Amino acid sequence: VAMTGCATTAPRAGDDPGSEVRCTTNTQPEHQLQLDAVDALMSRSQPYAALAKLESEGLATEHHWVRHGQLLAATGQMKQAEAVFQALAQACGSAMGHHGLGLVYLKQKKLNLGLAELKKARALAPSSSDVRNDYGYALLLTRQDAEAVFELRTAFELADGEGPVRQNLAAGYILTNDQAGLALLRDQYDLSMSEKSHAETLANNIRRLR
């Protein structure tokens, strides 16, 4: 549970390094309008514009700071993103902070650190399909295939069989040679041939990474 009003300091790229990370999750209507505008730019793959929009106003809530870390990472500013998510994780103790930090570590190929942070996020938000999906993917990268499939199947069901977890779960079934699992995806969840082909490519990429 995020602590309302808690704050700490973390550097911001090109900005005041003493800016305060906010832990409150209470968003006012004007905050939500700003976040919606940022999310719209992110959905159009415009992370630089989204970052500029976000930094044009104060970062008033934890949701703002999570977006800030995500956008720093998306624009290649990995050290700054790591600092933001570390501050969120330490000050707020929230799933969002640990989740973001875990993903930054994975992008930096720090697999064990990433796995540890995602495990913390999973403990804090066990019903989040995004967290369980990313934790499952990290488990695949660290050769913990059976545990990964459990997490990915959980994420899959939490997401009602939609989204990127479809590919990850299919890749997990391929890596564990689970033909029954693949048949389930095909017969009950309409896994297409192109999706299976993409999952095979993903599984091969995971084999090369680990």
Side-chain angles (χ1 to χ4, degrees):
V1 178
M3 298 176 289
T4 301
C6 171
T8 189
T9 59
R12 293 175 63 179
D15 207 320
D16 177 14
S19 297
E20 291 186 332
V21 169
R22 305 300 303 179
C23 295
T24 180
T25 56
N26 297 324
T27 54
Q28 300 301 316
E30 63 272 19
H31 298 150
Q32 194 58 53
L33 284 173
Q34 181 192 8
L35 290 170
D36 289 345
V38 169
D39 289 344
L41 290 167
M42 292 171 70
S43 71
R44 297 199 295 269
S45 299
Q46 296 179 302
Y48 292 88
L51 182 59
K53 174 65 177 174
L54 186 66
E55 292 183 335
S56 68
E57 302 176 43
L59 306 184
T61 70
E62 185 180 359
H63 300 291
H64 288 78
W65 280 97
V66 169
R67 303 295 199 291
H68 193 224
Q70 292 171 339
L71 289 167
L72 288 170
T75 54
Q77 301 174 83
M78 302 306 294
K79 288 297 182 184
Q80 294 92 329
E82 181 180 338
V84 166
F85 283 123
Q86 279 180 336
L88 280 168
Q90 291 168 6
C92 308
S94 71
M96 290 188 289
H98 289 292
H99 185 206
L101 185 55
L103 293 179
V104 167
Y105 282 144
L106 289 188
K107 288 180 181 179
Q108 294 174 326
K109 296 184 171 52
K110 300 175 181 177
L111 298 186
N112 290 331
L113 289 174
L115 184 66
E117 291 299 324
L118 290 169
K119 186 175 183 179
K120 292 175 185 176
R122 186 258 201 209
L124 290 165
S127 62
S128 168
S129 61
D130 287 341
V131 169
R132 301 290 288 252
N133 177 43
D134 291 331
Y135 180 49
Y137 180 73
L139 287 166
L140 287 180
L141 290 176
T142 53
R143 299 174 178 269
Q144 300 176 70
D145 293 344
E147 295 89 341
V149 167
F150 177 86
E151 294 297 326
L152 293 169
R153 179 62 187 268
T154 303
F156 181 81
E157 293 186 5
L158 287 168
D160 293 325
E162 300 295 334
V165 68
R166 290 170 65 89
Q167 304 282 310
N168 286 345
L169 180 57
Y173 284 146
I174 290 167
L175 289 167
T176 54
N177 196 30
D178 188 340
Q179 297 303 314
L182 288 170
L184 174 76
L185 293 182
R186 182 192 66 226
D187 298 339
Q188 293 190 25
Y189 293 95
D190 299 319
L191 187 76
S192 66
M193 290 299 295
S194 63
E195 283 182 303
K196 184 182 178 185
S197 177
H198 188 278
E200 289 169 347
T201 300
L202 178 59
N204 287 331
N205 289 338
I206 290 170
R207 289 188 185 101
R208 285 194 291 269
L209 288 171
R210 63 192 196 174

